[in-house]
Amino acid sequence: MDAPLARDVERFLDYLKVERHYSPTTVVRYRHGLNKLVAYVGDVGKTQWTALLGQDLRQWIAREHRRGASPASLHNILSAARSLFRWLLREGALKNDPSAGVRAPKMRRKLPHVLDVDEAARLVEIPTDSPDAVRDRAIMELLYSSGLRIAELTALTWRDLDLADGTVRVTGKGNKTRIVPVGSQARAALDVLQAQGGPAEPASPIFLGRAGKPLGAGAIRARMKAWAQVQGVDKRVYPHLLRHSFASHVLESSGDLRAVQELLGHADISTTQIYTHLDFQHLARVYDAAHPRARRRKT
């Protein structure tokens, strides 16, 4: 690996961590892609970023494709390269972006899985006959009520929550803060959880494990999977499924894509637009079932 280029990559990754507050997972993903780029640049005998051409990057993407990289992986590594080049341009180390005009293979956009309204209600309305069940009910109610990411949920402290106002302050990707509503059922579940634990310091995590430590994402996933079996929800259940379900159900009822974007904390509305496809599927089912000229004849 070329040392000067590798040093530039490390400086860029430090910038993402320190100044942009990227999550460790995102930084690892960027490092993976950029290490591949640096290796390729060395393989073709170039030692400076300024020597790179668009054709070089197209050949790099083609090589990774031949090696079995999926379209999603190719999009990720090319995105990392573009971010690096934009940073190098700002730093004055590049005058032109070699990735301009370079495209990864088209990627089929998968629609997210969602629970229907009845399934979501059945999942979250668990019997609260133990301290752990009280906590788990509050977790699932809040995930579904407010569309939180799992990392946002596990980072919450009591000072982030305003039960009287029905809001929660969330720190999302890029260290961006947003305030989102908390529904009445989630507020009730959190009230019970708070009463169960007694007075808590404002800086204390809301969701604790048995040892008094913050409950981790892995433990929450395992608890949700177990509750899905108990509640008879015959789908693969995981925290982000409740976020998808939240977005789909709010959009289905309101039709307000911008509001859903704000609630989810998406920087780009194109990320939120995937839920419009889910909404259309619902409308299409209603149409097929209700319109007299759309109904299919029974055989």
Side-chain angles (χ1 to χ4, degrees):
M1 186 177 292
D2 188 272
L5 301 186
R7 282 198 295 270
D8 286 339
V9 167
E10 288 303 318
R11 288 175 53 226
F12 170 64
L13 294 174
D14 285 340
Y15 159 78
L16 294 182
K17 286 185 288 186
V18 175
E19 296 189 33
R20 298 295 303 278
H21 305 288
Y22 275 35
S23 71
T25 302
T26 302
V27 173
V28 167
R29 189 172 71 244
Y30 273 58
R31 184 188 301 278
H32 175 75
L34 295 175
N35 284 347
K36 288 179 176 291
L37 174 61
V38 171
Y40 175 76
V41 172
D43 289 347
V44 296
K46 297 190 176 183
T47 58
Q48 296 181 333
W49 298 117
T50 52
L52 273 183
L53 303 174
Q55 185 60 30
D56 295 319
L57 293 178
R58 291 186 185 92
Q59 291 175 356
W60 170 51
I61 292 297
R63 185 174 82 167
E64 294 301 320
H65 183 61
R66 289 194 300 273
R67 290 179 171 181
S70 68
S73 296
L74 296 176
H75 275 266
N76 285 337
I77 63 175
L78 187 55
S79 175
R82 288 198 183 102
S83 296
L84 171 66
F85 296 143
R86 285 195 296 268
W87 177 77
L88 290 170
L89 283 166
R90 288 196 299 271
E91 292 289 301
L94 274 180
K95 292 185 178 179
N96 299 294
D97 183 354
S99 67
V102 178
R103 298 286 181 268
K106 286 187 177 180
M107 183 172 58
R108 284 188 63 188
R109 197 170 192 183
K110 293 182 180 179
L111 294 178
H113 296 290
V114 297
L115 298 172
D116 64 33
V117 174
D118 291 337
E119 288 172 329
R122 190 160 71 248
L123 175 65
V124 302
E125 291 174 358
I126 63 175
T128 52
D129 51 7
S130 71
D132 284 354
V134 168
R135 179 204 59 204
D136 295 348
R137 170 81 180 253
I139 285 171
M140 291 192 286
E141 289 278 13
L142 186 55
L143 283 171
Y144 179 49
S145 161
S146 305
L148 305 187
R149 300 178 178 95
I150 184 64
E152 295 169 346
L153 180 103
T154 55
L156 288 178
T157 64
W158 285 108
R159 70 157 57 100
D160 298 317
L161 191 64
D162 188 337
L163 289 176
D165 191 42
T167 58
V168 62
R169 181 184 297 272
V170 179
T171 302
K173 290 185 176 181
N175 211 31
K176 294 179 180 177
T177 300
R178 69 187 190 279
I179 296 176
V180 294
V182 179
S184 60
Q185 297 292 334
R187 289 162 69 182
L190 288 160
D191 270 329
V192 175
L193 177 66
Q194 191 174 45
Q196 172 180 274
E201 293 294 324
S204 298
I206 295 177
F207 302 111
L208 298 172
R210 290 185 178 178
K213 295 181 179 179
L215 200 64
I220 291 174
R221 291 188 184 96
R223 297 291 294 175
M224 288 184 66
K225 183 178 179 180
W227 278 118
Q229 293 176 339
V230 171
Q231 297 297 95
V233 178
D234 191 23
K235 286 183 179 177
R236 189 172 75 88
V237 170
Y238 47 95
H240 219 71
L241 180 67
L242 287 179
R243 178 171 162 88
H244 288 321
S245 303
F246 159 85
S248 177
H249 298 165
V250 172
L251 182 62
E252 187 177 300
S253 298
S254 70
D256 193 332
L257 188 64
R258 286 287 181 186
V260 174
Q261 178 192 5
E262 292 294 324
L263 289 167
L264 292 175
H266 285 162
D268 190 335
I269 199 169
S270 65
T271 309
T272 318
Q273 282 174 333
I274 192 167
Y275 297 107
T276 63
H277 297 291
L278 293 171
D279 190 38
F280 179 77
Q281 286 185 340
H282 169 75
L283 293 175
R285 286 194 297 270
V286 171
Y287 175 83
D288 286 343
H291 195 289
R293 302 291 287 178
R295 295 173 188 162
R296 295 181 181 180
R297 294 180 181 177
K298 293 181 180 180
T299 56

